[in-house]
């Protein structure tokens, strides 16, 4: 999910500007939207990817039914709010399903496994191709917050691949001290998101500072905070083991 959600977001932005199909008239909008382009629906496409991956990993029948209901509610809500037409949300559903099918291909899974074994050249190649296609496709509003945040997330995730590969369960991982460390980590995350500025001098500084901010935050989530939490869990387990020996 650390890769697929921001990946699907940028793919949706590229598709929106490629099709260049405008949303329903703004008089019908019940909520504010960032872009006038609406085909395919980004909310639906990303929701299908997110809940689809969750449903594939947790095979409980009730959870899968819950995922389908959530996606259906998101689709209907976008139409009800007047920001998308029926073809918009159906297209979002289809492109989300295509993303999931691509992700489940054996060749894709083999490529992903190589990322976590130190061979991440294909990962950075995908990012480079996607960023290039975005800038070639988007003529206006290249400083979209969705693009900046998603780009930073993908870069931060890519820098964390080796650390993610080393993740493993530690005894005592869900102890009181460990849960406390998780809470403190996310408090630090909120503080960092507030403190780190976005430099609004030029288009370039907006993009670069925004990407650095979101990239650093994602790197903290996938690399620094898990290391802190794992270290605390290990120290507590060792302390518990020494007490048992006594």
């Amino acid at each position: 999910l650390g890769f697929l959600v921001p990946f699907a977001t940028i793919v949706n932005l590229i598709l929106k500007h490629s099709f260049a199909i405008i949303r329903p008239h703004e008089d019908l909008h019940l909520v504010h939207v960032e872009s006038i382009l609406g085909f395919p629906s980004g909310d639906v496409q990303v929701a299908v990817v997110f809940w689809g991956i969750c449903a594939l990993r947790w095979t409980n029948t009730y959870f899968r039914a819950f995922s389908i209901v959530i996606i259906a509610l998101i689709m209907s809500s976008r139409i009800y709010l007047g920001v998308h037409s029926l073809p918009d949300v159906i297209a979002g559903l289809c492109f989300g399903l295509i993303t999931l099918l691509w992700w489940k291909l054996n060749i894709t899974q083999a490529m992903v496994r190589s990322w976590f074994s130190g061979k991440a050249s294909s990962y950075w190649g995908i990012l480079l191709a996607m960023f290039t296609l975005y800038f070639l496709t988007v003529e206006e509003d290249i400083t979209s917050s969705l693009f900046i945040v998603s780009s930073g997330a993908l870069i931060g995730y890519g820098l964390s691949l080796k650390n993610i590969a080393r993740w493993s369960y530690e005894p005592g991982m869900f102890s009181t001290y460990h849960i406390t460390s998780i809470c403190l980590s996310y408090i630090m995350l909120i503080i960092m998101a507030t403190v780190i500025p976005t430099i609004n001098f030029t288009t370039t500084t907006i993009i670069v500072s925004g990407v650095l901010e979101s990239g650093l935050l994602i790197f903290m989530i996938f690399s620094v905070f898990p290391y802190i939490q794992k270290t605390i869990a290990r120290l507590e387990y060792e302390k518990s083991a020494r007490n048992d020996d006594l």
Side-chain angles (χ1 to χ4, degrees):
L1 288 176
F3 167 76
L4 272 185
V5 169
F7 170 81
T9 300
I10 296 181
V11 168
N12 178 261
L13 292 173
I14 294 172
L15 290 171
K16 271 190 168 77
H17 286 86
S18 297
F19 288 111
I21 298 176
I22 298 176
R23 298 175 185 271
H25 194 275
E26 61 181 10
D27 290 344
L28 300 174
H29 297 180
L30 298 181
V31 293
H32 173 72
V33 289
E34 185 179 85
S35 171
I36 63 171
L37 302 178
F39 183 93
S41 168
D43 295 270
V44 174
Q45 184 173 338
V46 174
V48 170
V49 170
F50 179 85
W51 289 105
I53 287 295
C54 291
L56 289 172
R57 292 190 176 181
W58 290 284
T59 57
N60 181 280
T61 302
Y62 295 107
F63 183 83
R64 288 188 168 182
F66 175 75
S67 300
I68 294 172
V69 170
I70 291 294
I71 293 171
L73 288 174
I74 292 173
M75 293 177 67
S76 58
S77 70
R78 303 311 287 170
I79 297 175
Y80 172 77
L81 292 171
V83 294
H84 283 296
S85 63
L86 182 60
D88 293 347
V89 297
I90 292 177
L93 173 65
C94 292
F95 282 114
L97 292 174
I98 289 171
T99 304
L100 290 176
L101 291 173
W102 169 77
W103 182 253
K104 292 300 292 181
L105 291 175
N106 290 334
I107 188 172
T108 305
Q109 288 300 302
M111 178 180 64
V112 172
R113 286 192 294 271
S114 72
W115 296 348
F116 297 108
S117 61
K119 301 176 182 178
S121 57
S122 60
Y123 180 90
W124 298 110
I126 289 174
L127 262 60
L128 179 61
M130 192 162 51
F131 293 162
T132 301
L133 190 57
Y134 176 83
F135 286 111
L136 290 175
T137 305
V138 178
E139 298 179 357
E140 299 178 358
D141 193 29
I142 62 173
T143 58
S144 165
S145 59
L146 285 175
F147 172 73
I148 292 174
V149 171
S150 299
S151 299
L154 288 170
I155 292 172
Y157 186 81
L159 295 174
S160 303
L161 287 173
K162 289 185 179 180
N163 296 315
I164 296 172
R166 290 196 291 266
W167 284 5
S168 61
Y169 174 77
E170 292 285 344
M173 183 168 281
F174 299 106
S175 66
T176 302
Y177 289 113
H178 187 65
I179 293 174
T180 302
S181 75
I182 294 175
C183 295
L184 290 175
S185 295
Y186 284 102
I187 291 173
M188 289 170 58
L189 190 65
I190 295 171
I191 293 173
M192 287 180 62
T194 305
V195 171
I196 299 176
T198 299
I199 304 172
N200 296 313
F201 293 151
T202 66
T203 299
T204 302
T205 58
I206 292 173
I207 294 174
V208 171
S209 62
V211 168
L212 286 175
E213 178 181 352
S214 56
L216 179 60
L217 294 178
I218 295 300
F219 181 77
M220 294 288 288
I221 290 174
F222 285 105
S223 293
V224 178
F225 294 161
Y227 176 79
I228 294 173
Q229 295 155 11
K230 189 174 180 179
T231 300
I232 292 174
R234 187 178 67 251
L235 291 175
E236 185 182 357
Y237 175 72
E238 291 174 354
K239 180 181 177 181
S240 176
R242 285 196 299 271
N243 292 334
D244 291 342
D245 291 339
L246 295 177

